[in-house]
Amino acid sequence: MASPGASAVAARPAADAVPATPRTPSKEPRNRTRAGAPTWFWTVPPVLALAVVFLYPLALVVRESLAPGAYADVFASASFRDALVTTVWLALAATAGCLVLGFTLALVIAFVPFPGGRAVARFIDVFLSFPSFLITLALLFLYGTVGMANGLWTDLTGAADGPFHFLTTPWGVLLAEITYFTPFVMRPLLAAFSQLDTAQLEVASSLGARPLRIVRRVILPEALPALAAGGSLVLVMCLNEFGIVLFTGAKGVTTLPMLVYGKAILESDYASACVVAVVNVVLSVGLYAVYRVVSRRAGA
């Protein structure tokens, strides 16, 4: 039998209960952060810094290049045409050399087990931080006019001069650029090889495929995006390389950056120097856009 207290509680009208009011989400403006400041407020400082540090000097260069007759005089000069041709062929040749050498070395490091392989792979990351003139300086110590190779030759033969003088030629610049920029191709290749399914290699090997066929039919198709991304980056960097050409002291090798240096510093012809600089920037930005597209497709 229910107690009277229980009956009274049961008979209490439901109206006494306080209805739960639904919580409406706070309608904060989308263009405001939690601190209350609009989002555009935080974009102003980096934009101003970019404008002061980069865009304003670039605008000054472009304005200086618009001097009357500057573009016509530069484009009509043989020195500009020669520098443009030299820059392009050196960049293309260095990129091709880096692709071949980088692909070969990356294959060895990734698929040929040898003591110290991991240390070599890690050293590549450290090598990327080296300045370009350091590699050129090392080559000068080895193959320069008074370098180790020429010194050893004169000591052994008694000759007054050694046979190694190629560093002061375009081939010396090409060797230095390939030596310095090859790791920039190897890095994305090693990353691509680390994602390669080794079961494919084992299946191809068990079916009797030789190593060269495995490389051509299995590894190379997987490495093409990384090769394209690394090659595009090297091409952009070779077009703008200044330190290697300057430190080798190669006579008759004038690239676009060297021509800018000569026009501005040696001849004080700032209008012509700015015209050459604008051409170099346009080439670099165009190739960088290609590099970004290729690297995005490659997932680099």
Side-chain angles (χ1 to χ4, degrees):
M1 181 175 180
S3 62
S7 301
V9 171
R12 183 176 297 173
D16 293 345
V18 179
T21 58
R23 300 180 62 184
T24 57
S26 59
K27 298 181 179 180
E28 296 181 356
R30 293 185 178 180
N31 61 343
R32 287 182 175 271
T33 61
R34 293 181 179 179
T39 53
W40 60 263
F41 175 79
W42 301 105
T43 62
V44 171
V47 170
L48 289 178
L50 180 65
V52 172
V53 175
F54 177 73
L55 296 180
Y56 179 67
L58 181 60
L60 292 180
V61 171
V62 174
R63 188 184 67 176
E64 186 69 22
S65 69
L66 297 177
Y71 278 91
D73 293 341
V74 170
F75 289 166
S77 64
S79 60
F80 170 76
R81 294 193 297 269
D82 293 342
L84 181 61
V85 171
T86 301
T87 302
V88 172
W89 85 258
L90 273 178
L92 292 175
T95 302
C98 290
L99 289 175
V100 174
L101 182 59
F103 183 72
T104 304
L105 293 178
L107 278 177
V108 173
I109 294 174
F111 300 109
V112 179
F114 63 93
R118 291 185 177 180
V120 174
R122 292 176 181 176
F123 175 74
I124 292 174
D125 295 333
V126 178
F127 188 90
L128 297 179
S129 64
F130 289 174
S132 59
F133 70 85
L134 184 62
I135 305 303
T136 310
L137 190 61
L139 291 176
L140 288 174
F141 277 120
L142 290 175
Y143 303 109
T145 305
V146 293
M148 295 175 58
N150 283 324
L152 182 61
W153 177 270
T154 56
D155 291 340
L156 293 177
T157 62
D161 195 8
F164 302 103
H165 301 286
F166 63 90
L167 281 183
T168 57
T169 67
W171 303 110
V173 176
L174 188 60
L175 174 62
E177 290 188 349
I178 292 176
T179 303
Y180 178 69
F181 290 114
T182 293
F184 290 87
V185 174
M186 296 176 62
R187 190 65 191 87
L189 280 175
L190 291 175
F193 290 160
S194 66
Q195 303 296 326
L196 184 63
D197 187 6
T198 56
Q200 300 180 20
L201 307 180
E202 296 174 358
V203 170
S205 179
S206 63
L207 293 177
R210 295 184 177 182
L212 290 180
R213 184 178 179 84
I214 294 176
V215 171
R216 186 175 68 253
R217 300 296 297 273
V218 180
I219 298 178
L220 184 58
E222 297 292 333
L224 283 179
L227 277 173
S232 301
L233 177 61
V234 169
L235 185 60
V236 172
M237 297 177 71
C238 286
L239 282 174
N240 298 286
E241 182 54 41
F242 175 75
I244 289 178
V245 183
L246 181 65
F247 270 77
T248 54
K251 298 178 180 179
V253 180
T254 303
T255 59
L256 290 180
M258 286 294 296
L259 187 61
V260 173
Y261 173 79
K263 292 289 186 182
I265 305 301
L266 303 180
E267 301 178 16
S268 298
D269 187 358
Y270 295 106
S272 298
C274 291
V275 170
V276 179
V278 169
V279 173
N280 202 1
V281 168
V282 170
L283 288 175
S284 301
V285 171
L287 287 175
Y288 180 74
V290 174
Y291 161 71
R292 292 299 301 170
V293 172
V294 172
S295 62
R296 190 180 301 112
R297 292 182 178 179

PDB file of all heavy atoms in Angstrom, residues 6 9 20 78 101 122 140 158 170 177 183 251 281:
ATOM      1  N   ALA A   6       3.957   9.572  -0.763  1.00  0.00           N
ATOM      2  CA  ALA A   6       4.271   9.178  -2.136  1.00  0.00           C
ATOM      3  C   ALA A   6       3.177   9.574  -3.082  1.00  0.00           C
ATOM      4  O   ALA A   6       3.408   9.982  -4.225  1.00  0.00           O
ATOM      5  CB  ALA A   6       4.514   7.668  -2.189  1.00  0.00           C
ATOM      6  N   VAL A   9       3.443  13.293  -3.861  1.00  0.00           N
ATOM      7  CA  VAL A   9       4.519  13.580  -4.822  1.00  0.00           C
ATOM      8  C   VAL A   9       4.098  13.208  -6.218  1.00  0.00           C
ATOM      9  O   VAL A   9       4.355  13.900  -7.205  1.00  0.00           O
ATOM     10  CB  VAL A   9       5.805  12.843  -4.385  1.00  0.00           C
ATOM     11  CG1 VAL A   9       6.847  12.954  -5.460  1.00  0.00           C
ATOM     12  CG2 VAL A   9       6.299  13.401  -3.077  1.00  0.00           C
ATOM     13  N   ALA A  20      13.396  22.935 -19.641  1.00  0.00           N
ATOM     14  CA  ALA A  20      14.785  23.192 -20.054  1.00  0.00           C
ATOM     15  C   ALA A  20      14.784  24.021 -21.331  1.00  0.00           C
ATOM     16  O   ALA A  20      14.142  23.656 -22.325  1.00  0.00           O
ATOM     17  CB  ALA A  20      15.524  21.873 -20.277  1.00  0.00           C
ATOM     18  N   ALA A  78      74.944  42.314 -77.606  1.00  0.00           N
ATOM     19  CA  ALA A  78      75.412  40.928 -77.749  1.00  0.00           C
ATOM     20  C   ALA A  78      75.747  40.311 -76.402  1.00  0.00           C
ATOM     21  O   ALA A  78      75.610  39.096 -76.218  1.00  0.00           O
ATOM     22  CB  ALA A  78      76.635  40.901 -78.664  1.00  0.00           C
ATOM     23  N   LEU A 101      73.117  11.651 -62.204  1.00  0.00           N
ATOM     24  CA  LEU A 101      73.945  11.298 -61.057  1.00  0.00           C
ATOM     25  C   LEU A 101      73.095  11.095 -59.802  1.00  0.00           C
ATOM     26  O   LEU A 101      73.336  10.148 -59.031  1.00  0.00           O
ATOM     27  CB  LEU A 101      74.982  12.392 -60.820  1.00  0.00           C
ATOM     28  CG  LEU A 101      75.981  12.161 -59.684  1.00  0.00           C
ATOM     29  CD1 LEU A 101      76.786  10.883 -59.928  1.00  0.00           C
ATOM     30  CD2 LEU A 101      76.912  13.354 -59.531  1.00  0.00           C
ATOM     31  N   ARG A 122      71.646  10.505 -44.258  1.00  0.00           N
ATOM     32  CA  ARG A 122      71.490  11.655 -43.359  1.00  0.00           C
ATOM     33  C   ARG A 122      72.432  12.787 -43.732  1.00  0.00           C
ATOM     34  O   ARG A 122      72.109  13.960 -43.561  1.00  0.00           O
ATOM     35  CB  ARG A 122      71.742  11.217 -41.921  1.00  0.00           C
ATOM     36  CG  ARG A 122      70.666  10.273 -41.379  1.00  0.00           C
ATOM     37  CD  ARG A 122      71.013   9.795 -39.986  1.00  0.00           C
ATOM     38  NE  ARG A 122      69.992   8.879 -39.473  1.00  0.00           N
ATOM     39  CZ  ARG A 122      70.085   8.244 -38.313  1.00  0.00           C
ATOM     40  NH1 ARG A 122      71.157   8.432 -37.539  1.00  0.00           N
ATOM     41  NH2 ARG A 122      69.119   7.433 -37.926  1.00  0.00           N
ATOM     42  N   LEU A 140      88.431  24.043 -55.982  1.00  0.00           N
ATOM     43  CA  LEU A 140      89.641  24.826 -56.259  1.00  0.00           C
ATOM     44  C   LEU A 140      90.846  24.249 -55.533  1.00  0.00           C
ATOM     45  O   LEU A 140      91.958  24.219 -56.079  1.00  0.00           O
ATOM     46  CB  LEU A 140      89.421  26.283 -55.857  1.00  0.00           C
ATOM     47  CG  LEU A 140      88.491  27.104 -56.756  1.00  0.00           C
ATOM     48  CD1 LEU A 140      88.240  28.479 -56.156  1.00  0.00           C
ATOM     49  CD2 LEU A 140      89.075  27.235 -58.154  1.00  0.00           C
ATOM     50  N   GLY A 158     108.026  16.747 -62.485  1.00  0.00           N
ATOM     51  CA  GLY A 158     108.976  17.841 -62.541  1.00  0.00           C
ATOM     52  C   GLY A 158     108.587  18.943 -63.497  1.00  0.00           C
ATOM     53  O   GLY A 158     109.397  19.843 -63.779  1.00  0.00           O
ATOM     54  N   PRO A 170      83.845  26.845 -68.835  1.00  0.00           N
ATOM     55  CA  PRO A 170      82.448  26.490 -68.543  1.00  0.00           C
ATOM     56  C   PRO A 170      82.283  25.084 -67.973  1.00  0.00           C
ATOM     57  O   PRO A 170      81.350  24.834 -67.207  1.00  0.00           O
ATOM     58  CB  PRO A 170      81.768  26.621 -69.909  1.00  0.00           C
ATOM     59  CG  PRO A 170      82.591  27.624 -70.650  1.00  0.00           C
ATOM     60  CD  PRO A 170      84.001  27.388 -70.196  1.00  0.00           C
ATOM     61  N   GLU A 177      78.420  22.962 -60.343  1.00  0.00           N
ATOM     62  CA  GLU A 177      76.973  23.009 -60.166  1.00  0.00           C
ATOM     63  C   GLU A 177      76.394  21.604 -60.013  1.00  0.00           C
ATOM     64  O   GLU A 177      75.492  21.386 -59.188  1.00  0.00           O
ATOM     65  CB  GLU A 177      76.322  23.727 -61.352  1.00  0.00           C
ATOM     66  CG  GLU A 177      76.614  25.228 -61.366  1.00  0.00           C
ATOM     67  CD  GLU A 177      75.812  25.961 -62.428  1.00  0.00           C
ATOM     68  OE1 GLU A 177      75.196  25.278 -63.285  1.00  0.00           O
ATOM     69  OE2 GLU A 177      75.801  27.203 -62.403  1.00  0.00           O
ATOM     70  N   PRO A 183      72.441  16.644 -54.581  1.00  0.00           N
ATOM     71  CA  PRO A 183      71.620  16.254 -53.420  1.00  0.00           C
ATOM     72  C   PRO A 183      70.204  16.805 -53.438  1.00  0.00           C
ATOM     73  O   PRO A 183      69.313  16.220 -52.819  1.00  0.00           O
ATOM     74  CB  PRO A 183      72.421  16.816 -52.233  1.00  0.00           C
ATOM     75  CG  PRO A 183      73.829  16.836 -52.707  1.00  0.00           C
ATOM     76  CD  PRO A 183      73.734  17.214 -54.156  1.00  0.00           C
ATOM     77  N   LYS A 251      86.735  32.402 -67.053  1.00  0.00           N
ATOM     78  CA  LYS A 251      86.819  33.500 -68.014  1.00  0.00           C
ATOM     79  C   LYS A 251      85.862  33.239 -69.170  1.00  0.00           C
ATOM     80  O   LYS A 251      85.767  32.144 -69.694  1.00  0.00           O
ATOM     81  CB  LYS A 251      88.244  33.628 -68.542  1.00  0.00           C
ATOM     82  CG  LYS A 251      89.260  33.950 -67.452  1.00  0.00           C
ATOM     83  CD  LYS A 251      90.663  34.016 -68.023  1.00  0.00           C
ATOM     84  CE  LYS A 251      91.678  34.337 -66.929  1.00  0.00           C
ATOM     85  NZ  LYS A 251      93.062  34.393 -67.444  1.00  0.00           N
ATOM     86  N   VAL A 281      64.233  37.499 -63.133  1.00  0.00           N
ATOM     87  CA  VAL A 281      63.125  37.241 -62.218  1.00  0.00           C
ATOM     88  C   VAL A 281      61.955  36.596 -62.954  1.00  0.00           C
ATOM     89  O   VAL A 281      61.315  35.656 -62.447  1.00  0.00           O
ATOM     90  CB  VAL A 281      62.690  38.552 -61.533  1.00  0.00           C
ATOM     91  CG1 VAL A 281      61.357  38.361 -60.808  1.00  0.00           C
ATOM     92  CG2 VAL A 281      63.746  39.014 -60.549  1.00  0.00           C
TER      93      VAL A 281
END
